[in-house]
Every structure is written in C-alpha cells, then in structure tokens.
Amino acid sequence: MVATHRLLSLLGVLAAVSIGAAQSTTVRIMPLGDSITGSPGCWRALLWRKLQTAKITNTKFVGTLPAQGCGFTYDGANEGHGGILATGIVAKKQLPDWLSQTHPDIVMMHLGTNDVWNAQTPEAILAAFDAMVDWMRASKAGVKILVAQIIPMNPPNCAQCGARVVALNKAIPAWAAGRNTTESPVVVVDCWTGFDTAKDTRDGVHPNDSGNQKLADAWFGPLVRAIQG
Ligand SMILES: *[C@@H]1O[C@H](CO)[C@@H](O)[C@H](O)[C@H]1NC(C)=O
Ligand SMILES: *[C@@H]1O[C@H](CO)[C@@H](O)[C@H](O)[C@H]1NC(C)=O
C-alpha cells in the first residue's frame, strides 16, 4: 500500500514537472506581412501586452526586422516588410532565408494588401500562399500557420481595392482548409469583420490607434490557442 502510494505520488510529481516544462518552452512567433505588420505595426505591441496581462510569457517574437517605436518596450522582432507582395516574396524566394534565420514555431501572416493594390488575382495570391506554406513546413514540419482575412482597404488611388480584398478574403477559408493538417494546422483569423477604414485607419490602409487595438484583439484568441495547443 505504502509503496503504491509513493509510486502514485512520484507519478504525480513527474506529471507536474512535465506540464511545467511544456508551459515554459519558448514558442517562437513570426509576424509576416507588409507595412501593416512592420511599420510600425503597433498592433503587435498591443498584442504582446495582452499576452503579458494574460501571464502568457513563454513567447519570443522572431523576424529579421526590429521593433519600431510604439510608446513602450515590447518584444517586436517581425517580418513585416513595407510594400511587399505575397507574390513578390515567392517570385524573389525571400521566405526560406527569413525562416532559416529565425526558426518560427508559429507564423502569423497578414498578406495580400499590396497584391490586390497591384491587381493580383485571388488565385495568384493563394498560389503564393501555397508556396509559402511549403517553405514554412520545410523549415519546421509542425509549424502552426495563422492566416489573416486581411483588413479592408480604401486608398485614394484604387476604387476597386475594397472589393478585391473582399474577394481574396472570401477565397481564404477554402484554401486554408485544403492545406490544413493535424501536424501543421492552418487557422484563419478574421481581421476584416468590424474594421472600418474610415475610423480605424489614418490613410485608408494603415491602422491608427483604434485599428491597432482591433487587430490585437483579432489575433489574440487564435494566437493563444496556437501557443497553448
Ligand atoms: C484546421 O484544423 C484545426 C483542427 O486541427 C481547426 O481548428 C482549424 O479551424 C482548421 N482550419 C481550417 C481552415 O479549416
Ligand atoms: C483614426 O483615424 C480616423 C481617420 O483619420 C480618425 O477619424 C479617428 O479619430 C482615429 N482614431 C484614433 C483612435 O486614432
């Protein structure tokens, strides 16, 4: 009896130790995108602060670009390249190098804004996403991929851009389901719903303070599930 009890206690201790170890493993997160993500992309600062408030501190944001100023210190490495297109990243084969320098466990991508601005079709953009998923999985077989249905846009020089974003966003869920696997889940994050270009951007494209808050809120739940899942 005593021996059994001791064995059970020991098992309990071992279980507790392994749970503790799982929680303290650092999860490497790459925010991948364009200027909406990188310059300055202060929704990432708000998102990081929300994680700290929720006591989720086993994260490291990764990317070859540094944090930009957002009023407080935060973990702000990122892969948000101003002006970049998803189709351009693939044409120039840029992602493998970024991945090999940073080794993300989770990639959160908000891409397509500059593609639709340059009249790339949803098919062309999703073909680029396909190539990027392949590169991410070559970097880490179990990578978790969060893909945004991107925020709306209404720049002065592109009357069609708003509808093009809607068309891209509409095509993303079926594309994501087709690339989803148990080992390397692809999860769609709705950044579009509730985002208003008139109230939440400064120029029809880039989030202002209220837009940044909405983006942080949109990413938070899916990112926490990916960190803890
Ligand atoms: C992919 O599968 C996961 C469960 O493993 C699910 O949570 C997620 O919503 C799926 N993604 C898509 C786009 O269907
Ligand atoms: C966001 O930008 C819009 C348009 O410039 C402005 O009306 C709004 O007051 C701004 N809101 C915040 C919180 O910065």
Side-chain angles (χ1 to χ4, degrees), residues 6-23:
R6 282 206 185 121
L7 180 58
L8 289 174
S9 307
L10 179 61
L11 289 173
V13 168
L14 287 174
V17 166
S18 68
I19 287 166
Q23 280 174 346

Side-chain angles (χ1 to χ4, degrees), residues 34-114:
D34 50 37
S35 57
I36 292 169
T37 295
S39 25
C42 288
W43 58 268
R44 292 178 293 103
L46 300 177
L47 178 62
W48 176 84
R49 195 162 62 183
K50 279 169 78 83
L51 292 173
Q52 311 315 299
T53 303
K55 305 222 180 323
I56 299 166
T57 56
N58 61 320
T59 60
K60 179 175 172 53
F61 284 82
V62 298
T64 59
L65 300 174
Q68 294 191 12
C70 291
F72 58 92
T73 305
Y74 66 104
D75 186 10
N78 70 91
E79 216 59 81
H81 299 260
I84 214 161
L85 286 71
T87 49
I89 290 172
V90 172
K92 294 176 196 152
K93 298 189 167 57
Q94 288 169 304
L95 186 57
D97 180 48
W98 297 336
L99 292 166
S100 68
Q101 289 188 56
T102 59
H103 304 289
D105 302 302
I106 297 172
V107 178
M108 42 192 301
M109 54 185 261
H110 186 290
L111 271 171
T113 304
N114 290 306

Side-chain angles (χ1 to χ4, degrees), residues 1-209:
M1 282 295 274
V2 172
T4 306
H5 179 74
R6 282 206 185 121
L7 180 58
L8 289 174
S9 307
L10 179 61
L11 289 173
V13 168
L14 287 174
V17 166
S18 68
I19 287 166
Q23 280 174 346
S24 64
T25 302
T26 301
V27 180
R28 300 170 68 84
I29 304 164
M30 173 192 278
L32 173 63
D34 50 37
S35 57
I36 292 169
T37 295
S39 25
C42 288
W43 58 268
R44 292 178 293 103
L46 300 177
L47 178 62
W48 176 84
R49 195 162 62 183
K50 279 169 78 83
L51 292 173
Q52 311 315 299
T53 303
K55 305 222 180 323
I56 299 166
T57 56
N58 61 320
T59 60
K60 179 175 172 53
F61 284 82
V62 298
T64 59
L65 300 174
Q68 294 191 12
C70 291
F72 58 92
T73 305
Y74 66 104
D75 186 10
N78 70 91
E79 216 59 81
H81 299 260
I84 214 161
L85 286 71
T87 49
I89 290 172
V90 172
K92 294 176 196 152
K93 298 189 167 57
Q94 288 169 304
L95 186 57
D97 180 48
W98 297 336
L99 292 166
S100 68
Q101 289 188 56
T102 59
H103 304 289
D105 302 302
I106 297 172
V107 178
M108 42 192 301
M109 54 185 261
H110 186 290
L111 271 171
T113 304
N114 290 306
D115 295 87
V116 305
W117 213 334
N118 286 277
Q120 295 288 332
T121 63
E123 292 72 24
I125 298 166
L126 296 177
F129 286 9
D130 266 329
M132 285 194 276
V133 166
D134 292 340
W135 280 325
M136 290 174 204
R137 288 175 175 165
S139 167
K140 181 185 168 94
V143 65
K144 296 177 183 174
I145 301 162
L146 306 183
V147 56
Q149 285 175 302
I150 61 176
I151 59 172
M153 66 190 292
N154 184 25
N157 65 354
C158 182
Q160 306 92 337
C161 275
R164 290 181 193 156
V165 167
V166 170
L168 172 63
N169 282 343
K170 198 175 163 202
I172 284 177
W175 168 82
R179 297 306 313 263
N180 206 7
T181 67
T182 310
E183 184 184 18
S184 171
V186 181
V187 173
V188 178
V189 178
D190 180 5
C191 295
W192 193 89
T193 302
F195 196 103
D196 181 339
T197 53
K199 291 188 190 141
D200 301 324
T201 73
R202 50 187 160 85
D203 55 5
V205 178
H206 297 90
N208 64 9
D209 288 353

